[in-house]
Amino acid sequence: MTQIEAARNGTVTEEMERIAARENVDPEFVRRQVADGQAVIPANVNHDSLDPMVIGREFATKVNANIGNSEETSDIEGELEKLHTAVHYGADTVMDLSTGSDLDEIRTANVAHSPVPVGTVPIYEAVKRAGDAADITHDLLLDVIEKQARQGVDYMTIHAGVRMEHLPLTDGRTTGIVSRGGSILAQWIEENGMENPLYATFEEICELFHEYDVTFSLGDGLRPGCLADAGDDAQFAELDTLGELTRTAWDHDVQVMVEGPGHVPMDRVAEQVERQQDVCDGAPFYVLGPLVTDVAPGYDHITSAIGATEAGRAGAAMLCYVTPKEHLGLPEKADVRDGLAAYRIAAHAADVANGREGARDWDDALSEARYAFDWREQFDLALDPERAQAYHDQTLPGDNYKEARFCSMCGVDFCSMRIDQDARAEGEMDEIETDGDDRTDLTDSAAAEVNRPPVGTHDEAAVPETDRASAAETEGRADD
């Protein structure tokens, strides 16, 4: 049975038990959320190295990292390095968006070496195999989807909501159709004069997904690519279709999440999340960004993390990261790191804002270490410990400075917390305890694992040992 089928039958699976432990909730709560379609567990039966996780608005906000090659870069080792970087810096899932060479080899390697769910967009491989988008057949699409499911892919972006009747609604847009999958299918519809083949074969896809327990990620092929196009008729017409497809997938006992817009003004982010939740009956919302301004190429990990925080606060279940290379080039290892840092911040900030149980304990623990000038504890608790220590050590590298009551920003004389401590010790204000039992103990926190350090908390036991050793050496740390 699929996870949703088991949940509907009253069965708590091993995956649900593991998730309950990671989220600090009762396994029965996980089962009910999955049974109701409010959460998904992307867990292909053939993904042996997987450490199960859950995506749903009642759980900690998750982050996806897109990786993959292009025609200009086709290197399996480089892609595995991106995968390890993503997992190390806290990706809850990864999407292999490869469009270059060695697609099968890269996909197989990612599934074999990933403790997190792996997603794909099968229309990309279909185009490669057909040679031209217009030459894709229904049988070719189903063959590609079945093969990727058999390889162990946990979830797939299926742009079945792009209907023939929707295409005229994109006329007059500023940036047209910006989704790769959406543009490919629009071209296919235009040149063949037929309905979207993914829509036409949707129930057959459901049958394949049921066999391997692949989760739908219903693609937003008509998402806005700029602020000017946000919330237009094309976007919302597709969303209405995605709501229909969600219910069809549920009828086949297949799990569903729904993808959301890429560019949305700040004041409209929450309403977009709320509309999706209403139209799609609460199916988990998975958003790209959204970017809240279009003016910052090179910094779109920041512009999008702002929107992602608001989306998470409003109920989005998973945030798809954006890197500094967005709109400019293919991300490399350093870009993956920066994108994940921005999005882990966004996800955690949303959980704190939503009052997720225990989420703020991490903040409190680091704040206490900061006031105590416990530099080593600050580094250990940091979202990115290596970077936090490296920045500190650029100007004060010696071990003696790990005990200092100042850093190079203010120096000895102007450190506000040192001044405050001394004033409290010498005056009438109460002293603030900097050690002892009053400090926050994260081992007793009710927070989910993703809201406690270290960021990368997936069980890597099923990942090949040589690969884990290579990752640890690359990142300069031992295996968790």
Side-chain angles (χ1 to χ4, degrees):
M1 292 188 291
T2 62
Q3 293 292 327
I4 190 172
E5 191 174 10
R8 288 171 169 176
N9 287 338
T11 300
V12 174
T13 64
E14 291 182 6
E15 290 82 2
M16 296 174 198
E17 292 277 5
R18 168 61 177 150
I19 286 162
R22 298 183 70 188
E23 297 281 335
N24 259 332
V25 296
D26 189 274
E28 177 61 19
F29 177 73
V30 179
R31 184 199 67 78
R32 289 197 305 270
Q33 287 286 300
V34 174
D36 292 341
Q38 309 301 286
V40 297
I41 301 172
N44 188 309
V45 296
N46 288 338
H47 190 169
D48 296 331
S49 62
L50 180 68
D51 183 17
M53 54 82 71
V54 68
I55 301 167
R57 67 183 178 281
E58 297 300 325
F59 300 94
T61 306
K62 303 305 188 299
V63 174
N64 170 70
N66 288 338
I67 58 176
N69 71 358
S70 70
E71 289 291 356
E72 283 68 38
T73 59
S74 300
D75 181 89
I76 294 176
E77 289 73 21
E79 290 308 310
L80 282 177
E81 185 176 40
K82 289 182 198 173
L83 169 67
H84 296 313
T85 301
V87 173
H88 176 69
Y89 289 108
D92 297 295
T93 77
V94 295
M95 286 204 78
D96 178 3
L97 304 185
S98 294
T99 58
S101 303
D102 303 321
L103 296 184
D104 275 327
E105 292 83 354
I106 289 173
R107 187 182 312 114
T108 300
N110 280 335
V111 171
H113 298 90
S114 178
V116 305
V118 175
T120 59
V121 186
I123 192 70
Y124 298 166
E125 183 179 354
V127 172
K128 295 282 289 185
R129 286 176 55 174
D132 186 273
D135 295 332
I136 296 173
T137 66
H138 294 63
D139 287 342
L140 173 60
L141 271 175
L142 292 173
D143 182 60
V144 169
I145 290 169
E146 181 174 18
K147 181 189 69 174
Q148 293 192 8
R150 192 168 59 248
Q151 289 173 320
V153 172
D154 301 289
Y155 66 98
M156 298 186 200
T157 294
I158 302 294
H159 297 90
V162 180
R163 301 288 306 279
M164 179 184 291
E165 64 194 55
H166 300 158
L167 299 187
L169 299 177
T170 65
D171 296 343
R173 275 186 161 187
T174 298
T175 54
I177 299 174
V178 300
S179 158
R180 288 196 297 199
S183 63
I184 290 167
L185 288 160
Q187 178 187 355
W188 190 97
I189 292 168
E190 288 285 295
E191 295 193 21
N192 288 281
M194 297 169 61
E195 184 57 275
N196 180 347
L198 291 173
Y199 181 83
T201 61
F202 190 76
E203 294 206 50
E204 294 172 76
I205 298 171
C206 286
E207 293 171 5
L208 292 174
F209 278 21
H210 182 274
E211 181 177 355
Y212 297 94
D213 200 0
V214 177
T215 297
F216 273 108
S217 185
L218 293 177
D220 53 341
L222 301 181
R223 67 175 177 266
C226 62
L227 300 190
D229 296 339
D232 67 359
D233 291 342
Q235 179 194 347
F236 288 146
E238 180 187 27
L239 178 60
D240 289 341
T241 301
L242 297 184
E244 298 169 10
L245 296 174
T246 294
R247 291 180 281 276
T248 299
W250 284 343
D251 288 342
H252 287 78
D253 286 324
V254 175
Q255 302 182 96
V256 185
M257 57 183 170
V258 178
E259 297 183 13
H263 294 246
V264 179
M266 184 73 172
D267 60 309
R268 300 185 65 186
V269 172
E271 71 180 43
Q272 295 245 348
V273 177
E274 292 160 6
R275 182 166 183 153
Q276 181 276 341
Q277 291 288 275
D278 180 56
V279 171
C280 298
D281 295 337
F285 201 22
Y286 163 34
V287 296
L288 176 66
L291 286 76
V292 295
T293 181
D294 299 330
V295 301
Y299 299 93
D300 278 338
H301 60 311
I302 299 173
T303 60
S304 63
I306 294 169
T309 306
E310 177 67 1
R313 189 197 61 79
M318 185 161 75
L319 314 173
C320 182
Y321 87 162
V322 172
T323 76
K325 288 279 184 66
E326 185 75 7
H327 303 113
L328 301 173
L330 187 73
E332 297 178 350
K333 178 181 174 181
D335 306 307
V336 171
R337 179 180 186 174
D338 289 345
L340 273 166
Y343 272 71
R344 283 260 57 103
I345 294 167
H348 180 69
D351 287 340
V352 171
N354 285 332
R356 191 76 63 203
E357 188 172 9
R360 213 193 72 186
D361 290 348
W362 186 0
D363 302 81
D364 293 346
L366 195 144
S367 297
E368 291 159 5
R370 180 174 290 149
Y371 190 75
F373 293 104
D374 188 342
W375 293 102
R376 291 182 177 85
E377 182 72 357
Q378 286 187 62
F379 303 149
D380 289 343
L381 292 174
L383 186 94
D384 185 340
E386 294 98 333
R387 179 161 294 179
Q389 181 165 351
Y391 281 179
H392 173 272
D393 290 357
Q394 281 179 359
T395 50
L396 299 174
D399 284 345
N400 57 309
Y401 291 115
K402 303 300 187 296
E403 313 296 333
R405 297 173 68 209
F406 64 92
C407 71
S408 62
M409 181 175 184
C410 297
V412 179
D413 293 336
F414 288 92
C415 177
S416 58
M417 286 192 288
R418 182 199 60 75
I419 295 170
D420 179 77
Q421 288 177 9
D422 291 348
R424 290 177 183 277
E426 298 169 3
E428 296 183 359
M429 293 188 295
D430 291 340
E431 291 189 57
I432 297 174
E433 186 66 46
T434 59
D435 54 21
D437 296 336
D438 290 338
R439 284 181 65 165
T440 302
D441 183 1
L442 290 178
T443 61
D444 290 335
S445 173
E449 282 190 8
V450 297
N451 278 319
R452 288 180 287 175
V455 171
T457 58
H458 294 276
D459 182 359
E460 298 183 18
V463 177
E465 182 65 33
T466 54
D467 233 69
R468 287 189 287 125
S470 175
E473 182 179 346
T474 299
E475 300 303 338
R477 68 176 177 98
D479 289 332
D480 290 331

PDB file of all heavy atoms in Angstrom, residues 61-90:
ATOM      1  N   THR A  61       8.417  23.542   8.924  1.00  0.00           N
ATOM      2  CA  THR A  61       8.523  23.966   7.530  1.00  0.00           C
ATOM      3  C   THR A  61       9.773  23.371   6.900  1.00  0.00           C
ATOM      4  O   THR A  61      10.868  23.450   7.461  1.00  0.00           O
ATOM      5  CB  THR A  61       8.578  25.495   7.441  1.00  0.00           C
ATOM      6  OG1 THR A  61       7.447  26.035   8.138  1.00  0.00           O
ATOM      7  CG2 THR A  61       8.546  25.960   6.001  1.00  0.00           C
ATOM      8  N   LYS A  62       9.609  22.782   5.738  1.00  0.00           N
ATOM      9  CA  LYS A  62      10.712  22.094   5.069  1.00  0.00           C
ATOM     10  C   LYS A  62      11.294  22.938   3.939  1.00  0.00           C
ATOM     11  O   LYS A  62      10.670  23.894   3.453  1.00  0.00           O
ATOM     12  CB  LYS A  62      10.234  20.747   4.516  1.00  0.00           C
ATOM     13  CG  LYS A  62       9.631  19.817   5.573  1.00  0.00           C
ATOM     14  CD  LYS A  62      10.584  19.564   6.731  1.00  0.00           C
ATOM     15  CE  LYS A  62      10.096  18.500   7.698  1.00  0.00           C
ATOM     16  NZ  LYS A  62       8.823  18.828   8.356  1.00  0.00           N
ATOM     17  N   VAL A  63      12.514  22.554   3.503  1.00  0.00           N
ATOM     18  CA  VAL A  63      13.227  23.265   2.451  1.00  0.00           C
ATOM     19  C   VAL A  63      13.699  22.274   1.399  1.00  0.00           C
ATOM     20  O   VAL A  63      14.287  21.240   1.727  1.00  0.00           O
ATOM     21  CB  VAL A  63      14.435  24.034   3.022  1.00  0.00           C
ATOM     22  CG1 VAL A  63      15.262  24.653   1.897  1.00  0.00           C
ATOM     23  CG2 VAL A  63      13.977  25.112   3.996  1.00  0.00           C
ATOM     24  N   ASN A  64      13.444  22.589   0.138  1.00  0.00           N
ATOM     25  CA  ASN A  64      13.965  21.795  -0.980  1.00  0.00           C
ATOM     26  C   ASN A  64      15.121  22.534  -1.643  1.00  0.00           C
ATOM     27  O   ASN A  64      15.110  23.766  -1.760  1.00  0.00           O
ATOM     28  CB  ASN A  64      12.878  21.555  -2.022  1.00  0.00           C
ATOM     29  CG  ASN A  64      13.448  20.935  -3.300  1.00  0.00           C
ATOM     30  OD1 ASN A  64      13.859  19.783  -3.301  1.00  0.00           O
ATOM     31  ND2 ASN A  64      13.507  21.720  -4.368  1.00  0.00           N
ATOM     32  N   ALA A  65      16.101  21.761  -2.105  1.00  0.00           N
ATOM     33  CA  ALA A  65      17.211  22.318  -2.879  1.00  0.00           C
ATOM     34  C   ALA A  65      17.187  21.726  -4.277  1.00  0.00           C
ATOM     35  O   ALA A  65      17.183  20.502  -4.441  1.00  0.00           O
ATOM     36  CB  ALA A  65      18.552  21.999  -2.206  1.00  0.00           C
ATOM     37  N   ASN A  66      17.153  22.587  -5.284  1.00  0.00           N
ATOM     38  CA  ASN A  66      17.256  22.137  -6.671  1.00  0.00           C
ATOM     39  C   ASN A  66      18.719  21.951  -7.031  1.00  0.00           C
ATOM     40  O   ASN A  66      19.548  22.838  -6.791  1.00  0.00           O
ATOM     41  CB  ASN A  66      16.640  23.171  -7.621  1.00  0.00           C
ATOM     42  CG  ASN A  66      15.127  23.209  -7.525  1.00  0.00           C
ATOM     43  OD1 ASN A  66      14.497  22.254  -7.093  1.00  0.00           O
ATOM     44  ND2 ASN A  66      14.543  24.325  -7.945  1.00  0.00           N
ATOM     45  N   ILE A  67      19.031  20.795  -7.602  1.00  0.00           N
ATOM     46  CA  ILE A  67      20.370  20.541  -8.128  1.00  0.00           C
ATOM     47  C   ILE A  67      20.193  19.997  -9.539  1.00  0.00           C
ATOM     48  O   ILE A  67      19.080  19.886 -10.033  1.00  0.00           O
ATOM     49  CB  ILE A  67      21.164  19.557  -7.240  1.00  0.00           C
ATOM     50  CG1 ILE A  67      20.418  18.220  -7.106  1.00  0.00           C
ATOM     51  CG2 ILE A  67      21.402  20.154  -5.860  1.00  0.00           C
ATOM     52  CD1 ILE A  67      21.195  17.168  -6.319  1.00  0.00           C
ATOM     53  N   GLY A  68      21.284  19.660 -10.198  1.00  0.00           N
ATOM     54  CA  GLY A  68      21.173  19.109 -11.545  1.00  0.00           C
ATOM     55  C   GLY A  68      22.134  19.777 -12.505  1.00  0.00           C
ATOM     56  O   GLY A  68      22.629  20.871 -12.257  1.00  0.00           O
ATOM     57  N   ASN A  69      22.351  19.098 -13.630  1.00  0.00           N
ATOM     58  CA  ASN A  69      23.288  19.619 -14.622  1.00  0.00           C
ATOM     59  C   ASN A  69      22.543  20.289 -15.766  1.00  0.00           C
ATOM     60  O   ASN A  69      21.315  20.354 -15.790  1.00  0.00           O
ATOM     61  CB  ASN A  69      24.196  18.502 -15.142  1.00  0.00           C
ATOM     62  CG  ASN A  69      23.462  17.511 -16.040  1.00  0.00           C
ATOM     63  OD1 ASN A  69      22.254  17.601 -16.269  1.00  0.00           O
ATOM     64  ND2 ASN A  69      24.184  16.538 -16.547  1.00  0.00           N
ATOM     65  N   SER A  70      23.299  20.803 -16.722  1.00  0.00           N
ATOM     66  CA  SER A  70      22.743  21.380 -17.941  1.00  0.00           C
ATOM     67  C   SER A  70      23.603  20.895 -19.105  1.00  0.00           C
ATOM     68  O   SER A  70      24.544  20.115 -18.922  1.00  0.00           O
ATOM     69  CB  SER A  70      22.760  22.912 -17.872  1.00  0.00           C
ATOM     70  OG  SER A  70      24.091  23.396 -17.944  1.00  0.00           O
ATOM     71  N   GLU A  71      23.277  21.334 -20.301  1.00  0.00           N
ATOM     72  CA  GLU A  71      24.080  20.955 -21.466  1.00  0.00           C
ATOM     73  C   GLU A  71      25.523  21.417 -21.315  1.00  0.00           C
ATOM     74  O   GLU A  71      26.436  20.812 -21.857  1.00  0.00           O
ATOM     75  CB  GLU A  71      23.472  21.559 -22.736  1.00  0.00           C
ATOM     76  CG  GLU A  71      22.165  20.912 -23.165  1.00  0.00           C
ATOM     77  CD  GLU A  71      22.319  19.485 -23.660  1.00  0.00           C
ATOM     78  OE1 GLU A  71      23.467  18.999 -23.749  1.00  0.00           O
ATOM     79  OE2 GLU A  71      21.301  18.846 -23.941  1.00  0.00           O
ATOM     80  N   GLU A  72      25.707  22.490 -20.550  1.00  0.00           N
ATOM     81  CA  GLU A  72      27.057  23.045 -20.397  1.00  0.00           C
ATOM     82  C   GLU A  72      27.851  22.357 -19.294  1.00  0.00           C
ATOM     83  O   GLU A  72      29.074  22.439 -19.242  1.00  0.00           O
ATOM     84  CB  GLU A  72      26.967  24.552 -20.091  1.00  0.00           C
ATOM     85  CG  GLU A  72      26.649  25.427 -21.294  1.00  0.00           C
ATOM     86  CD  GLU A  72      25.236  25.228 -21.822  1.00  0.00           C
ATOM     87  OE1 GLU A  72      24.322  25.045 -20.986  1.00  0.00           O
ATOM     88  OE2 GLU A  72      25.053  25.229 -23.039  1.00  0.00           O
ATOM     89  N   THR A  73      27.166  21.679 -18.380  1.00  0.00           N
ATOM     90  CA  THR A  73      27.854  21.003 -17.280  1.00  0.00           C
ATOM     91  C   THR A  73      27.247  19.619 -17.097  1.00  0.00           C
ATOM     92  O   THR A  73      26.078  19.513 -16.746  1.00  0.00           O
ATOM     93  CB  THR A  73      27.719  21.796 -15.967  1.00  0.00           C
ATOM     94  OG1 THR A  73      26.325  21.933 -15.646  1.00  0.00           O
ATOM     95  CG2 THR A  73      28.343  23.177 -16.083  1.00  0.00           C
ATOM     96  N   SER A  74      28.015  18.580 -17.336  1.00  0.00           N
ATOM     97  CA  SER A  74      27.508  17.210 -17.249  1.00  0.00           C
ATOM     98  C   SER A  74      28.518  16.340 -16.526  1.00  0.00           C
ATOM     99  O   SER A  74      29.281  15.598 -17.127  1.00  0.00           O
ATOM    100  CB  SER A  74      27.232  16.648 -18.655  1.00  0.00           C
ATOM    101  OG  SER A  74      26.280  17.407 -19.330  1.00  0.00           O
ATOM    102  N   ASP A  75      28.545  16.439 -15.198  1.00  0.00           N
ATOM    103  CA  ASP A  75      29.552  15.755 -14.413  1.00  0.00           C
ATOM    104  C   ASP A  75      28.892  15.096 -13.213  1.00  0.00           C
ATOM    105  O   ASP A  75      28.338  15.788 -12.347  1.00  0.00           O
ATOM    106  CB  ASP A  75      30.608  16.769 -13.956  1.00  0.00           C
ATOM    107  CG  ASP A  75      31.716  16.115 -13.152  1.00  0.00           C
ATOM    108  OD1 ASP A  75      32.692  15.677 -13.774  1.00  0.00           O
ATOM    109  OD2 ASP A  75      31.574  16.051 -11.918  1.00  0.00           O
ATOM    110  N   ILE A  76      28.929  13.764 -13.143  1.00  0.00           N
ATOM    111  CA  ILE A  76      28.268  13.041 -12.058  1.00  0.00           C
ATOM    112  C   ILE A  76      28.898  13.399 -10.716  1.00  0.00           C
ATOM    113  O   ILE A  76      28.200  13.622  -9.721  1.00  0.00           O
ATOM    114  CB  ILE A  76      28.335  11.518 -12.299  1.00  0.00           C
ATOM    115  CG1 ILE A  76      27.514  11.158 -13.545  1.00  0.00           C
ATOM    116  CG2 ILE A  76      27.826  10.757 -11.082  1.00  0.00           C
ATOM    117  CD1 ILE A  76      27.592   9.701 -13.918  1.00  0.00           C
ATOM    118  N   GLU A  77      30.232  13.469 -10.669  1.00  0.00           N
ATOM    119  CA  GLU A  77      30.898  13.785  -9.413  1.00  0.00           C
ATOM    120  C   GLU A  77      30.494  15.167  -8.906  1.00  0.00           C
ATOM    121  O   GLU A  77      30.275  15.365  -7.708  1.00  0.00           O
ATOM    122  CB  GLU A  77      32.424  13.721  -9.585  1.00  0.00           C
ATOM    123  CG  GLU A  77      32.981  12.324  -9.757  1.00  0.00           C
ATOM    124  CD  GLU A  77      32.678  11.714 -11.117  1.00  0.00           C
ATOM    125  OE1 GLU A  77      32.384  12.479 -12.067  1.00  0.00           O
ATOM    126  OE2 GLU A  77      32.705  10.475 -11.234  1.00  0.00           O
ATOM    127  N   GLY A  78      30.388  16.113  -9.823  1.00  0.00           N
ATOM    128  CA  GLY A  78      29.971  17.452  -9.424  1.00  0.00           C
ATOM    129  C   GLY A  78      28.558  17.487  -8.890  1.00  0.00           C
ATOM    130  O   GLY A  78      28.247  18.205  -7.940  1.00  0.00           O
ATOM    131  N   GLU A  79      27.681  16.668  -9.489  1.00  0.00           N
ATOM    132  CA  GLU A  79      26.297  16.627  -9.016  1.00  0.00           C
ATOM    133  C   GLU A  79      26.206  15.968  -7.643  1.00  0.00           C
ATOM    134  O   GLU A  79      25.426  16.389  -6.788  1.00  0.00           O
ATOM    135  CB  GLU A  79      25.413  15.899 -10.031  1.00  0.00           C
ATOM    136  CG  GLU A  79      25.198  16.677 -11.316  1.00  0.00           C
ATOM    137  CD  GLU A  79      24.703  18.091 -11.073  1.00  0.00           C
ATOM    138  OE1 GLU A  79      23.722  18.256 -10.302  1.00  0.00           O
ATOM    139  OE2 GLU A  79      25.295  19.034 -11.618  1.00  0.00           O
ATOM    140  N   LEU A  80      26.994  14.927  -7.425  1.00  0.00           N
ATOM    141  CA  LEU A  80      26.996  14.293  -6.106  1.00  0.00           C
ATOM    142  C   LEU A  80      27.548  15.247  -5.048  1.00  0.00           C
ATOM    143  O   LEU A  80      27.088  15.251  -3.906  1.00  0.00           O
ATOM    144  CB  LEU A  80      27.805  12.998  -6.128  1.00  0.00           C
ATOM    145  CG  LEU A  80      27.111  11.784  -6.741  1.00  0.00           C
ATOM    146  CD1 LEU A  80      28.044  10.582  -6.779  1.00  0.00           C
ATOM    147  CD2 LEU A  80      25.837  11.430  -5.982  1.00  0.00           C
ATOM    148  N   GLU A  81      28.529  16.065  -5.442  1.00  0.00           N
ATOM    149  CA  GLU A  81      29.042  17.052  -4.495  1.00  0.00           C
ATOM    150  C   GLU A  81      27.952  18.058  -4.122  1.00  0.00           C
ATOM    151  O   GLU A  81      27.811  18.435  -2.951  1.00  0.00           O
ATOM    152  CB  GLU A  81      30.243  17.785  -5.092  1.00  0.00           C
ATOM    153  CG  GLU A  81      30.909  18.744  -4.106  1.00  0.00           C
ATOM    154  CD  GLU A  81      32.152  19.391  -4.683  1.00  0.00           C
ATOM    155  OE1 GLU A  81      32.145  19.762  -5.871  1.00  0.00           O
ATOM    156  OE2 GLU A  81      33.143  19.535  -3.930  1.00  0.00           O
ATOM    157  N   LYS A  82      27.143  18.467  -5.102  1.00  0.00           N
ATOM    158  CA  LYS A  82      26.016  19.358  -4.804  1.00  0.00           C
ATOM    159  C   LYS A  82      25.024  18.671  -3.870  1.00  0.00           C
ATOM    160  O   LYS A  82      24.487  19.286  -2.943  1.00  0.00           O
ATOM    161  CB  LYS A  82      25.301  19.766  -6.094  1.00  0.00           C
ATOM    162  CG  LYS A  82      26.043  20.720  -6.988  1.00  0.00           C
ATOM    163  CD  LYS A  82      25.155  21.050  -8.189  1.00  0.00           C
ATOM    164  CE  LYS A  82      25.938  21.642  -9.331  1.00  0.00           C
ATOM    165  NZ  LYS A  82      25.092  21.809 -10.541  1.00  0.00           N
ATOM    166  N   LEU A  83      24.766  17.386  -4.139  1.00  0.00           N
ATOM    167  CA  LEU A  83      23.844  16.632  -3.281  1.00  0.00           C
ATOM    168  C   LEU A  83      24.340  16.608  -1.844  1.00  0.00           C
ATOM    169  O   LEU A  83      23.586  16.892  -0.900  1.00  0.00           O
ATOM    170  CB  LEU A  83      23.686  15.207  -3.809  1.00  0.00           C
ATOM    171  CG  LEU A  83      22.965  14.218  -2.878  1.00  0.00           C
ATOM    172  CD1 LEU A  83      21.499  14.604  -2.711  1.00  0.00           C
ATOM    173  CD2 LEU A  83      23.079  12.793  -3.410  1.00  0.00           C
ATOM    174  N   HIS A  84      25.612  16.291  -1.661  1.00  0.00           N
ATOM    175  CA  HIS A  84      26.161  16.217  -0.300  1.00  0.00           C
ATOM    176  C   HIS A  84      26.163  17.592   0.366  1.00  0.00           C
ATOM    177  O   HIS A  84      25.895  17.708   1.566  1.00  0.00           O
ATOM    178  CB  HIS A  84      27.577  15.643  -0.332  1.00  0.00           C
ATOM    179  CG  HIS A  84      27.628  14.228  -0.809  1.00  0.00           C
ATOM    180  ND1 HIS A  84      26.774  13.266  -0.344  1.00  0.00           N
ATOM    181  CD2 HIS A  84      28.432  13.613  -1.716  1.00  0.00           C
ATOM    182  CE1 HIS A  84      27.045  12.114  -0.947  1.00  0.00           C
ATOM    183  NE2 HIS A  84      28.038  12.307  -1.778  1.00  0.00           N
ATOM    184  N   THR A  85      26.453  18.632  -0.396  1.00  0.00           N
ATOM    185  CA  THR A  85      26.408  19.989   0.148  1.00  0.00           C
ATOM    186  C   THR A  85      24.989  20.326   0.603  1.00  0.00           C
ATOM    187  O   THR A  85      24.785  20.890   1.690  1.00  0.00           O
ATOM    188  CB  THR A  85      26.879  21.007  -0.903  1.00  0.00           C
ATOM    189  OG1 THR A  85      28.216  20.692  -1.308  1.00  0.00           O
ATOM    190  CG2 THR A  85      26.843  22.417  -0.347  1.00  0.00           C
ATOM    191  N   ALA A  86      24.011  19.971  -0.228  1.00  0.00           N
ATOM    192  CA  ALA A  86      22.615  20.251   0.107  1.00  0.00           C
ATOM    193  C   ALA A  86      22.198  19.538   1.387  1.00  0.00           C
ATOM    194  O   ALA A  86      21.588  20.133   2.281  1.00  0.00           O
ATOM    195  CB  ALA A  86      21.713  19.838  -1.053  1.00  0.00           C
ATOM    196  N   VAL A  87      22.535  18.264   1.496  1.00  0.00           N
ATOM    197  CA  VAL A  87      22.152  17.505   2.694  1.00  0.00           C
ATOM    198  C   VAL A  87      22.874  18.037   3.920  1.00  0.00           C
ATOM    199  O   VAL A  87      22.289  18.193   4.996  1.00  0.00           O
ATOM    200  CB  VAL A  87      22.436  16.008   2.485  1.00  0.00           C
ATOM    201  CG1 VAL A  87      22.200  15.226   3.787  1.00  0.00           C
ATOM    202  CG2 VAL A  87      21.549  15.444   1.376  1.00  0.00           C
ATOM    203  N   HIS A  88      24.159  18.344   3.768  1.00  0.00           N
ATOM    204  CA  HIS A  88      24.950  18.840   4.889  1.00  0.00           C
ATOM    205  C   HIS A  88      24.396  20.151   5.432  1.00  0.00           C
ATOM    206  O   HIS A  88      24.368  20.362   6.654  1.00  0.00           O
ATOM    207  CB  HIS A  88      26.395  19.045   4.437  1.00  0.00           C
ATOM    208  CG  HIS A  88      27.291  19.634   5.484  1.00  0.00           C
ATOM    209  ND1 HIS A  88      27.657  18.948   6.611  1.00  0.00           N
ATOM    210  CD2 HIS A  88      27.881  20.851   5.580  1.00  0.00           C
ATOM    211  CE1 HIS A  88      28.445  19.711   7.363  1.00  0.00           C
ATOM    212  NE2 HIS A  88      28.599  20.870   6.758  1.00  0.00           N
ATOM    213  N   TYR A  89      23.930  21.026   4.543  1.00  0.00           N
ATOM    214  CA  TYR A  89      23.439  22.327   4.983  1.00  0.00           C
ATOM    215  C   TYR A  89      21.926  22.358   5.187  1.00  0.00           C
ATOM    216  O   TYR A  89      21.350  23.431   5.314  1.00  0.00           O
ATOM    217  CB  TYR A  89      23.895  23.421   4.015  1.00  0.00           C
ATOM    218  CG  TYR A  89      25.382  23.677   4.134  1.00  0.00           C
ATOM    219  CD1 TYR A  89      26.255  23.280   3.134  1.00  0.00           C
ATOM    220  CD2 TYR A  89      25.910  24.260   5.276  1.00  0.00           C
ATOM    221  CE1 TYR A  89      27.622  23.474   3.256  1.00  0.00           C
ATOM    222  CE2 TYR A  89      27.274  24.463   5.407  1.00  0.00           C
ATOM    223  CZ  TYR A  89      28.126  24.077   4.395  1.00  0.00           C
ATOM    224  OH  TYR A  89      29.479  24.266   4.522  1.00  0.00           O
ATOM    225  N   GLY A  90      21.305  21.183   5.250  1.00  0.00           N
ATOM    226  CA  GLY A  90      19.949  21.124   5.761  1.00  0.00           C
ATOM    227  C   GLY A  90      18.817  20.968   4.783  1.00  0.00           C
ATOM    228  O   GLY A  90      17.662  21.183   5.148  1.00  0.00           O
TER     229      GLY A  90
END
